[in-house]
Amino acid sequence: MDVRPSPDPGRAAPEHSGAYLATALSLALYSGVLTAWTVYGIRQGDGNAWDFLEGMFNPGASLATQTLGPHEWAFTVAFLVIAGLALAQRRVARSAALLSGFVLLAVSLREGLGLFDAAYRDQYRHDPLGGWALATRGLGLVVALVVLFAMFPATERRRGVHPSAPGAADDPEAWWRRSSRICGVLFLLMGLARTGWAVRDLTAPGVGAGHYLRAVVDGSVLGTLDLAAPTEFTTVGSVLVLFVLGVLALPARREVRGALLVFAALELYVTVRMVVWLTVTDFFNRSFETPEGALSLATTAYALAAMTSVVVLAGGRGFGPYGGMRTEGFRTAAVGRNGGL
């Protein structure tokens, strides 16, 4: 009986090492550029690094307008984490990297559409930092294309999987199927809630639906150079990602695990930041004065619980080919200790 350990099921196939390396270097480079912009914003502001760290979780503590926003800060960390996983050739990095590539591509296309506006192009020419901002946008497009073209072909065949009996308590495949479907349902419900609030914003007095939707796809609508994504873009973008990942998670596709984990962590950070802001502004004590306030509080509570659950489930260790010791691994270890069958 062959008791040699099977290849690490969480590691990418050797033929994809170049794709993972290119992805790691690209995302690390772009994360470094975003970090440089963050440091620049801190030095230009009235506070110091500690004030910035407080402002990362308390929106009311920021002493000056930062060059980047909370979503960019979160993605800076995410890019570094994904780059580390890709450098380690972990298969879980693939879907997370593809998600990052699509996000960067959407940001780049939005900015590219805005550049068709002459007044917006003039701002790039006359702003002292316009050239650097445009170079950052261009780098984002290059990184997006490198990641997408490198990672799309890096599909993995199922290797070394000997599942337990269907329905067995120690079957990691069954555990992942249940967890993935739970994550999918949580994401879809969160997407529906976000859609409801977006529709409410669109129909609010003084808010034009056309202007709102243009702000999603056109970088020139706001009329200012800003590396931080506007609320319209982040809202619609998060809704689309929640629905897409939710649908992909329902059939328990293993490839979606990394994207679920990364996006849930990003959403959790933004939600925690919102909770801190609601606490500072004493919103909790006044939330039940109106039905809208109570509904907002319920949505925030659900987001906090749902995204925490997805992080726990997607970050678990019982995933068979994507992490954790599989059942046959325990059997092999037992054979080695007890001297064979």
Side-chain angles (χ1 to χ4, degrees), residues 59-272:
S62 182
L63 299 179
T65 302
Q66 295 291 334
T67 307
L68 304 180
H71 288 85
E72 287 74 25
W73 300 333
F75 268 107
T76 300
V77 177
F79 291 156
L80 274 178
V81 173
I82 298 169
L85 290 172
L87 191 62
Q89 304 285 304
R90 306 310 297 177
R91 294 170 67 179
V92 72
R94 180 175 180 263
S95 62
L98 288 174
L99 172 64
S100 302
F102 279 118
V103 170
L104 287 176
L105 182 61
V107 172
S108 300
L109 292 178
R110 178 179 180 273
E111 194 66 18
L113 185 60
L115 289 175
F116 282 99
D117 184 90
Y120 191 60
R121 293 197 304 271
D122 287 339
Q123 291 188 52
Y124 272 110
R125 284 195 291 264
H126 297 116
D127 192 291
L129 296 176
W132 291 107
L134 188 60
T136 301
R137 297 298 194 192
L139 178 62
L141 177 59
V142 173
V143 170
L145 294 177
V146 169
V147 171
L148 294 177
F149 279 104
M151 281 308 206
F152 256 122
T155 55
E156 299 282 351
R157 62 185 182 274
R158 199 171 182 180
R159 295 176 290 150
V161 178
H162 305 287
S164 305
D170 60 350
D171 182 7
E173 294 294 315
W175 190 94
W176 167 240
R177 285 193 296 271
R178 290 191 297 269
S179 299
S180 180
R181 287 163 186 161
I182 293 172
C183 293
V185 171
L186 293 175
F187 263 47
L188 290 176
L189 291 176
M190 190 70 247
L192 289 174
R194 289 277 175 82
T195 300
W197 284 108
V199 171
R200 178 256 183 191
D201 293 338
L202 282 170
T203 58
V207 178
H211 183 275
Y212 186 99
L213 295 176
R214 274 197 64 202
V216 175
V217 299
D218 188 351
S220 67
V221 171
L222 297 180
T224 58
L225 293 182
D226 198 349
L227 291 174
T231 302
E232 296 86 352
F233 178 81
T234 57
T235 299
V236 174
S238 67
V239 169
L240 291 176
V241 173
L242 286 168
F243 278 128
V244 171
L245 293 184
V247 170
L248 292 176
L250 287 180
R253 296 175 62 93
R254 298 178 191 86
E255 297 85 358
V256 80
R257 179 195 166 198
L260 285 173
L261 181 58
V262 167
F263 194 72
L266 295 176
E267 287 288 307
L268 182 60
Y269 163 69
V270 174
T271 304
V272 168

Side-chain angles (χ1 to χ4, degrees), residues 52-67:
F52 168 75
L53 291 176
E54 182 182 359
M56 288 184 67
F57 292 94
N58 179 11
S62 182
L63 299 179
T65 302
Q66 295 291 334
T67 307

